[in-house]
Amino acid sequence: MITVLGASGNTGGQVVRRLRAAGVAVRAVGRDAARLADAAAHGAEPVVGDITDPAVRTAAFRGAEAAYVLMPLDLAAPGYRRQQEQVGTAITAGLRAAGVPRVVALSSLGAEIPSGTGFLETLHQQEERLAGLDARVTLLRPGLFFESFLPALPAMLAAGVHHDTVAPDVALPMVATRDVGDAAATALLDPGAVGVREVPGPEDLTLPDAVARIGAVLGKPLRYERAPDDVMRAVLVEAGLPADLTDEQLAMNAAFNRRVVRRRGRGPATGSPTTIEQWAASLVSTTGA
Ligand SMILES: NC(=O)c1ccc[n+]([C@@H]2O[C@H](COP(=O)([O-])OP(=O)(O)OC[C@H]3O[C@@H](n4cnc5c(N)ncnc54)[C@H](OP(=O)(O)O)[C@@H]3O)[C@@H](O)[C@H]2O)c1
């Protein structure tokens, strides 16, 4: 039996579907029973509750032969760093107490860098916590999710322009979360899996290229404009993003601009076939965007 944390989310949902298709018993963890309905429909056993609750993490991890874990964001939590520390510590404690022998953990490209990377720093800290487990740990390091464009998409489509602070000539590895879920399932189904597995996506993309290609699929010309940090900070806070999360995002973008967040290679072993056009086309069929 394999435990999947975040089973109602982007990557975890795909992990559940892949494991169930392979005939593996799955425990699907999330805080909302309704959102776990798809996992349950695929035959997974739901565990409903917050992973920071000791009783929930015991129910989640007890007897598991392997686990998929991630660091969920909570926009309603009072402080990003504190929330990430709480959830990361709880997950590691639960895995340790249950003696789960194999762990596949969602991290990110750049998580090997200890500081100066904003959002990615908490994933570095979680990689360090997981390294203290007596378990075979696979660290999955994907590029930027295509899904990261979704919160800005309505404004982008309305205005025909996307603003961010990443330099227009910086090419970033970008990937569909479906492919990240597939890579996680592949690692979970491989008893020998251990160490770092990068999931960089099919190609590196600049933001001008990425938004133009999304726009071409959605039938709306889209362009990218780099915004100064202070302007972007005001826009994001106005849009409702907490100030500390806004600063984490700007710091991560600054690290992208320093070109320190790098992938190692790309090839059959890092296979993630979904192109940005295929991903954008799937938005049309699922959301009518
Ligand atoms: N965005 C990027 O470009 C990027 C790049 C690299 C890595 N990452 C990593 O990927 C993560 C997101 O992965 P994702 O997109 O697969 O997740 P997601 O779609 O945001 O889903 C999060 C999942 O976790 C569950 N969850 C949230 N808080 C929980 C809690 N306290 N206890 C139990 N379950 C909880 C959610 O369900 P409920 O809300 O119903 O509980 C949901 O199933 C990020 O946080 C980051 O660490 C992101």
Side-chain angles (χ1 to χ4, degrees):
M1 191 278 304
I2 296 180
T3 297
V4 178
L5 178 60
S8 53
N10 293 315
T11 60
Q14 181 66 6
V15 174
V16 171
R17 289 186 287 274
R18 277 283 312 276
L19 294 181
R20 290 300 302 141
V24 175
V26 171
R27 213 176 265 160
V29 188
R31 293 169 302 175
D32 186 301
R35 288 199 286 263
L36 289 170
D38 183 64
H42 282 83
E45 171 206 340
V47 172
V48 180
D50 194 313
I51 201 66
T52 59
D53 176 339
V56 172
R57 58 183 188 249
T58 301
F61 294 129
R62 185 173 39 207
E65 72 195 68
Y68 175 66
V69 295
L70 47 68
M71 293 280 280
L73 210 61
D74 186 350
L75 292 181
Y80 167 76
R81 292 280 169 149
R82 189 157 159 263
Q83 179 267 338
Q84 290 281 287
E85 187 182 350
Q86 279 174 347
V87 83
T89 304
I91 289 167
T92 316
L95 292 166
R96 182 177 288 114
V100 179
R102 293 196 299 118
V103 176
V104 175
L106 179 59
S107 187
S108 173
L109 290 180
E112 74 282 5
I113 305 168
S115 61
T117 59
F119 273 132
L120 308 181
E121 287 177 37
T122 57
L123 292 170
H124 175 81
Q125 289 154 9
Q126 182 65 352
E127 289 195 357
E128 294 211 312
R129 285 185 204 101
L130 294 169
L133 290 175
D134 182 16
R136 292 177 77 83
V137 177
T138 300
L139 301 170
L140 220 55
R141 292 192 185 148
L144 196 67
F145 295 169
F146 292 149
E147 282 76 2
S148 305
F149 288 107
L150 287 178
L153 196 59
M156 230 194 277
L157 291 172
V161 59
H162 178 53
H163 290 102
D164 207 341
T165 58
V166 179
D169 61 342
V170 170
L172 299 170
M174 294 189 201
V175 64
T177 55
R178 178 192 167 89
D179 291 349
V180 178
D182 282 347
T186 299
L188 288 161
L189 292 169
D190 173 5
V194 72
V196 172
R197 290 194 180 186
E198 294 189 351
V199 196
E203 60 186 318
D204 297 349
L205 294 167
T206 64
L207 286 188
D209 193 18
V211 302
R213 287 165 66 174
I214 293 171
V217 173
L218 300 183
K220 168 97 191 180
L222 292 180
R223 65 190 171 81
Y224 175 72
E225 260 177 32
R226 183 178 182 180
D229 275 22
D230 55 340
V231 172
M232 198 67 213
R233 181 179 289 110
V235 168
L236 291 173
V237 170
E238 170 75 24
L241 199 67
D244 64 333
L245 279 176
T246 303
D247 287 337
E248 301 284 0
Q249 168 144 353
L250 296 180
M252 181 178 72
N253 288 351
F256 290 156
N257 290 339
R258 293 195 304 277
R259 293 175 162 82
V260 293
V261 178
R262 299 195 191 103
R263 61 178 169 78
R264 289 191 298 210
R266 175 177 279 127
T270 62
S272 34
T274 308
T275 64
I276 197 159
E277 281 85 1
Q278 287 166 332
W279 173 79
S282 74
L283 293 180
V284 180
S285 56
T286 57
T287 68

